[in-house]
Amino acid sequence: MTSALVPDVPQYARVRRPLPYGRSRNDQATPAEGQISLRDLLRIVLRYRTMILLIVGVTTLAVVVQQMLSPTLYRSTTNVQVELIDQVGTNQADVNSRNAERVANAVRLHRSASAAEQVIKDLNLLHNPDFLKELGNPQLTGKPLLQAGINKLTSMIAIDSEAGSDLIEIAVVARSPELAADIANEIPPAVRALRGAKSNERRGELLASLEQEQQARGRTAQASAQLVADFRTRNHMLAGAGTDEDLNQINRIAVQSAAATAARDGAAARSAGIARASLMQSTATATSAALNALEQRRGDLVAEASKLSTSLGPNHPDVKRVNSQLAAVDQSIAQERSTVQAAAQADADAKGAQMAQIARSEADGDSAQASRLEGIVAGLSSMAYKNTTNRVELDKLLRQAELDDDAYKSISARIEQVRAQMQMEGVSSSVVSPAVPDYDPIAPTPLKLGLTAFVGSGILALMIAYLRDFLDDRLRTTAQIRRQFGLPTLGMLPLLGRNLSVDPKESPVITEPQSLFAEVARSTYTEVRGLQRRAGVQVVLVTSPLPGDGKSTVSLTLAAAGIALGERTVVLDLDLRKRGALQQLQNETAAPDLVDIVCGRAELDSLAIPQKGNPYDTPEASMTGESVANQIVLLSAKEPVAEPAVLLSSNRLRTLLSQLRERFDLVIINAPATLAVRDARAMCNFADQTVMVARWGVTTGDQMRAALESLDDSVGGVIFDQVDYAEHARRRYGDSVQYYADSATYYSTPVPAHEAWAARVRRFFRGHSWRPSEV
């Protein structure tokens, strides 16, 4: 940031190149810019010190006053042991979960309103002066007084127990130590009596109702079971009928039927094979004893014929005789062989027929069995289909019977549980350490609680301050502009008590050249001129995120600073959609307005063009020390323009801008608010640089970000308007404005003083914004 209080420097002495959006000139100089240091936290504390001191002071004072006004209280404590006893009187301390539940129940019972009522009745506390003092001596009687006593007594009693322990600590806090001890010692007997009377009575009533319900449920379960039996009998449905058991039985018999059919087919095939095999038997090897004797005789004759023919010759009578015998034997052999083969064939045929008959008998038996099994399967299938149809009604009856039976069993189990609780189990408690009056008061403790309130409220106040600062995204510092948007801050114009748009001739830049506002305005003007990348005429577009941020004031201030420095400046107002401050000023002058010049009804030469030159360059000014204040040149419309977009796109307006470049050193274009209309985006093409105006403490970071995004990368810097220098310094942002008061001797006008703490408190409670700023 360039200091708002730096002395004037010659124009163009510091030429800056605008950084792209998101970059900072101090990125290398401050690598830890995004981190919050201890100094930043301290500045937040100093920034909200009034709020912090107010919270801490009020809270601590309230606690101390409350303690000082509180009565003296005493505390008495009694310890009670919870004993867990079963049917035979044995200790059940090993059942940890059950013990913990019973101890918790005992704690709740000791803390109950019924126990408090019993204590009030036993000790007759409603007629005890000490207890009536605890109640504030109310003018009540009857039940309202009893209820008030119960509420008060329960608030006086604190009951606690440690995990895993069967001890209960009963603490009573009262204004009288004797009353506290009496109440603490009376609570265990009152609870014991209350529990004994109520428990058995309640369980007896419960047992009677359960037994009555059990009888009704038993009758209902019996009726449901009878309905199931009747339905099974009527439809011939045994257990398992209509379920997968029917299918399994059918499948088993079907398998047997298939096996019988296969056996039948096998026996038939075997019979046919035996018949064919009997036809295929050979009788060639059939023999008998006679056939064997003939074959042996033939062998002898063949041997004898061979021997005689060798020795006697073939024609010998003996040889012929032997041959004649051999022929006779061969004939006998043939006849015998035929007889033997016929007998063998007959025997084989008889055996084949016998085996085939046996096979046919087996096939007939298997066929009969298969037929019977198929009939059984058909009958079972028919019955299964019928059972399947009846199964729907049977399942309904079974479900109802099962529900009735479960209900009966549940009631029976509940009855047994209640009986066991009445007969076997119980919980009793006994006082192991009775309370005694303790005359050492426990309250009030103003020092202790005051210190606690001081520390706690201080921590709370710091958290509120940090949260408030974190949530506030309103723009106030150059560090915010640099860190969030990567743009330089060209100036921070102080807050004035009057409106510059009313009479620009009365601008402090001209009338009070040594004032703080004039110094900052000239410095801002120098920074704006420093944005120019080349020497020559500069056209600057001035806009803001929203209307009312002060762009018209900034435009007039820059023009006044330029004239004070000897520059020829003109304010071209292109915010023509509605009547604004610049249009009102235009109406107060006799100069032609913008529309007349653009439309050709007036000439630009009719404007009073100021003379260029530093006043001190003239000898007269050097001698007198005076400067000639030229009039601010304003070019605006006297009435709102119906179609400003048409005017902005006209060639005549571009020609006018060219003419203004020839006649002036700096042309300041007052554009509409960026987020209101799109005119500012189109006007960026008219200007060399664009300056965004942010109203100090009003414009938010989101508004500025949205405006910069709509203008792309054309914005060269930001100017803060209406900066409350006193408030800014009080907030201790660590910039140059924080030390402006130390330079008060340089200014001719009074420097704004720090706001008094009382005024800040009033402003805070009037609704000072809860949105935090950034460090």
Side-chain angles (χ1 to χ4, degrees):
M1 167 187 175
T2 302
S3 172
L5 310 177
V6 296
D8 294 344
V9 296
Q11 59 184 6
Y12 315 125
R14 292 179 292 171
V15 178
R16 298 190 180 189
R17 291 180 58 87
L19 294 177
Y21 181 72
R23 295 292 304 276
S24 171
R25 289 190 173 90
N26 295 331
D27 284 346
Q28 297 179 354
T30 57
E33 182 70 32
Q35 300 179 359
I36 298 178
S37 63
L38 181 61
R39 180 177 298 178
D40 296 329
L41 298 178
L42 181 60
R43 286 172 179 167
I44 295 176
V45 174
L46 296 176
R47 192 174 307 154
Y48 297 103
R49 61 182 180 272
T50 302
M51 181 192 70
I52 294 175
L53 293 176
L54 184 63
I55 294 176
V56 173
V58 171
T59 304
T60 305
L61 180 61
V63 171
V64 171
V65 171
Q66 186 270 337
Q67 286 293 302
M68 296 298 294
L69 298 178
S70 297
T72 304
L73 299 178
Y74 301 90
R75 178 177 177 176
S76 295
T77 303
T78 182
N79 293 311
V80 177
Q81 184 178 23
V82 179
E83 299 177 357
L84 308 177
I85 304 174
D86 64 1
Q87 184 179 13
V88 296
T90 57
N91 192 357
Q92 298 293 316
D94 56 334
V95 187
N96 294 329
S97 60
R98 184 61 175 168
N99 284 355
E101 180 181 356
R102 292 174 177 175
V103 171
N105 292 336
V107 170
R108 286 191 289 268
L109 187 57
H110 282 76
R111 195 182 292 149
S112 64
S114 300
E117 181 180 2
Q118 187 67 33
V119 171
I120 291 175
K121 293 179 180 179
D122 293 343
L123 296 179
N124 197 17
L125 294 179
L126 296 181
H127 296 86
N128 189 319
D130 293 334
F131 187 74
L132 292 177
K133 186 183 297 185
E134 296 285 346
L135 293 177
N137 297 318
Q139 302 299 322
L140 300 175
T141 58
K143 290 185 178 180
L145 179 60
L146 177 60
Q147 186 61 44
I150 292 173
N151 295 336
K152 182 61 180 178
L153 186 57
T154 53
S155 64
M156 296 168 56
I157 299 173
I159 300 177
D160 190 17
S161 64
E162 296 183 0
S165 174
D166 58 352
L167 290 179
I168 297 177
E169 182 183 80
I170 302 175
V172 178
V173 177
R175 300 182 185 183
S176 170
E178 294 83 1
L179 178 63
D182 292 341
I183 294 175
N185 290 329
E186 185 60 29
I187 292 176
V191 170
R192 190 180 304 111
L194 182 65
R195 180 168 47 199
K198 295 293 183 181
S199 178
N200 291 333
E201 179 181 359
R202 185 176 59 256
R203 288 179 178 176
E205 294 176 355
L206 177 61
L207 183 61
S209 62
L210 290 177
E211 290 177 346
Q212 185 178 359
E213 182 68 17
Q214 181 189 30
Q215 295 177 0
R217 294 294 176 87
R219 290 191 296 269
T220 302
Q222 183 178 2
S224 299
Q226 187 62 42
L227 290 176
V228 173
D230 294 342
F231 185 84
R232 288 183 178 276
T233 302
R234 185 170 56 254
N235 294 279
H236 306 287
M237 295 182 66
L238 300 177
T243 61
D244 293 341
E245 184 64 28
D246 285 349
L247 180 60
N248 295 334
Q249 185 177 8
I250 293 173
N251 290 336
R252 289 194 299 270
I253 298 176
V255 169
Q256 295 178 4
S257 176
T261 303
R264 179 196 61 190
D265 296 339
R270 188 164 58 254
S271 174
I274 292 172
R276 288 192 298 273
S278 63
L279 298 176
M280 296 171 61
Q281 291 184 358
S282 175
T283 59
T285 59
T287 184
S288 64
L291 181 60
N292 292 335
L294 290 174
E295 287 180 351
Q296 183 177 5
R297 176 60 180 164
R298 183 179 182 278
D300 294 341
L301 290 177
V302 169
E304 184 179 359
S306 176
K307 182 170 139 177
L308 290 177
S309 62
T310 301
S311 60
L312 297 181
N315 295 319
H316 191 274
D318 291 334
V319 174
K320 291 181 179 181
R321 178 183 54 79
V322 172
N323 287 334
S324 177
Q325 292 179 354
L326 183 59
V329 170
D330 287 336
Q331 184 178 3
S332 298
I333 290 174
Q335 293 177 354
E336 185 62 27
R337 188 180 298 278
S338 298
T339 303
V340 170
Q341 290 179 349
Q345 185 63 41
D347 184 63
D349 292 342
K351 291 181 179 180
Q354 182 181 5
M355 294 179 66
Q357 184 61 35
I358 294 173
R360 282 194 296 272
S361 299
E362 293 177 356
D364 293 339
D366 293 335
S367 177
Q369 184 178 3
S371 298
R372 288 195 303 272
L373 291 176
E374 289 175 356
I376 294 174
V377 169
L380 291 177
S381 300
S382 176
M383 182 61 68
Y385 284 119
K386 184 178 180 181
N387 289 340
T388 301
T389 303
N390 295 331
R391 185 65 188 182
V392 177
E393 183 66 24
L394 179 60
D395 288 342
K396 179 180 179 181
L397 296 175
L398 287 174
R399 285 193 299 270
Q400 185 61 41
E402 185 176 358
L403 291 175
D404 294 337
D405 187 63
D406 291 341
Y408 177 78
K409 292 179 179 179
S410 176
I411 292 295
S412 300
R414 177 60 176 158
I415 291 175
E416 294 299 327
Q417 181 181 5
V418 173
R419 287 175 177 173
Q421 291 175 351
M422 294 180 64
Q423 299 176 3
M424 298 177 61
E425 296 181 358
V427 179
S428 62
S429 58
S430 58
V431 177
V432 295
S433 177
V436 296
D438 188 356
Y439 295 94
D440 292 332
I442 63 170
T445 55
L447 180 62
K448 177 181 178 182
L449 290 183
L451 181 61
T452 303
F454 178 80
V455 175
S457 60
I459 296 175
L460 177 62
L462 291 177
M463 292 177 62
I464 293 175
Y466 292 145
L467 181 63
R468 179 179 178 183
D469 196 81
F470 176 77
L471 295 178
D472 190 358
D473 67 338
R474 291 178 297 174
L475 301 176
R476 292 188 179 91
T477 67
T478 60
Q480 291 175 293
I481 301 299
R482 181 177 63 252
R483 181 173 60 250
Q484 296 185 25
F485 313 111
L487 294 175
T489 300
L490 306 177
M492 301 184 71
L493 297 177
L495 176 67
L496 290 179
R498 60 183 183 273
N499 189 359
L500 296 180
S501 300
V502 175
D503 189 0
K505 297 178 182 179
E506 300 298 328
S507 173
V509 181
I510 298 176
T511 61
E512 301 173 2
Q514 294 185 359
S515 64
L516 173 64
F517 187 88
E519 292 289 344
V520 177
R522 288 193 296 269
S523 176
T524 303
Y525 178 83
T526 303
E527 291 294 325
V528 173
R529 294 290 277 156
L531 295 176
Q532 181 73 351
R533 301 180 182 178
R534 61 183 183 277
V537 180
Q538 182 182 14
V539 179
V540 177
L541 181 72
V542 179
T543 183
S544 63
L546 294 174
D549 289 335
K551 55 184 179 58
S552 300
T553 302
V554 172
S555 299
L556 293 175
T557 301
L558 292 177
I563 291 176
L565 293 175
E567 297 276 321
R568 294 174 300 176
T569 61
V570 60
V571 177
L572 178 60
D573 182 24
L574 295 182
D575 189 2
L576 307 175
R577 293 180 179 270
K578 63 178 183 177
R579 181 180 298 276
L582 297 183
Q583 292 187 11
Q584 295 177 2
L585 292 176
Q586 185 69 38
N587 288 325
E588 296 175 0
T589 63
D593 68 350
L594 174 62
V595 178
D596 292 338
I597 295 177
V598 171
C599 294
R601 294 191 295 268
E603 297 294 334
L604 183 62
D605 295 335
S606 61
L607 291 176
I609 308 299
Q611 299 296 324
K612 181 178 181 180
N614 194 299
Y616 282 91
D617 291 339
T618 62
E620 295 79 5
S622 301
M623 294 175 59
T624 61
E626 297 177 356
S627 61
V628 180
N630 292 314
Q631 183 179 2
I632 297 176
V633 180
L634 173 63
L635 189 57
S636 179
K638 294 183 179 180
E639 297 293 337
V641 178
E643 297 181 355
V646 178
L647 177 62
L648 296 177
S649 62
S650 64
N651 293 326
R652 288 180 178 271
L653 180 61
R654 298 181 183 274
T655 303
L656 175 61
L657 286 172
S658 300
Q659 294 174 355
L660 293 177
R661 284 179 178 270
E662 296 174 356
R663 290 171 171 77
F664 295 90
D665 300 313
L666 176 64
V667 179
I668 302 173
I669 300 177
N670 183 60
T674 304
L675 300 181
V677 293
R678 297 291 295 176
D679 294 350
R681 179 66 184 91
M683 294 179 190
C684 291
N685 299 326
F686 300 159
D688 299 325
Q689 289 86 30
T690 300
V691 175
M692 185 69 67
V693 176
R695 186 169 181 179
W696 184 87
V698 176
T699 303
T700 65
D702 292 338
Q703 295 171 358
M704 180 65 70
R705 185 175 295 104
L708 294 176
E709 288 177 354
S710 63
L711 297 180
D712 297 333
D713 297 334
S714 59
V715 178
V718 177
I719 297 177
F720 277 103
D721 182 43
Q722 301 186 32
V723 180
D724 189 345
Y725 269 48
E727 177 66 16
H728 188 100
R730 186 191 67 80
R731 288 175 171 269
R732 297 180 180 269
Y733 289 112
D735 52 13
S736 60
V737 179
Q738 180 176 337
Y739 310 102
Y740 78 96
D742 298 333
S743 305
T745 57
Y746 281 89
Y747 314 125
S748 61
T749 57
V751 177
H754 288 284
E755 190 177 16
W757 69 270
R760 290 199 299 271
V761 171
R762 289 194 299 269
R763 179 165 52 83
F764 176 80
F765 284 105
R766 282 198 306 267
H768 187 65
S769 178
W770 191 251
R771 300 163 59 192
S773 64
E774 296 188 18
V775 180

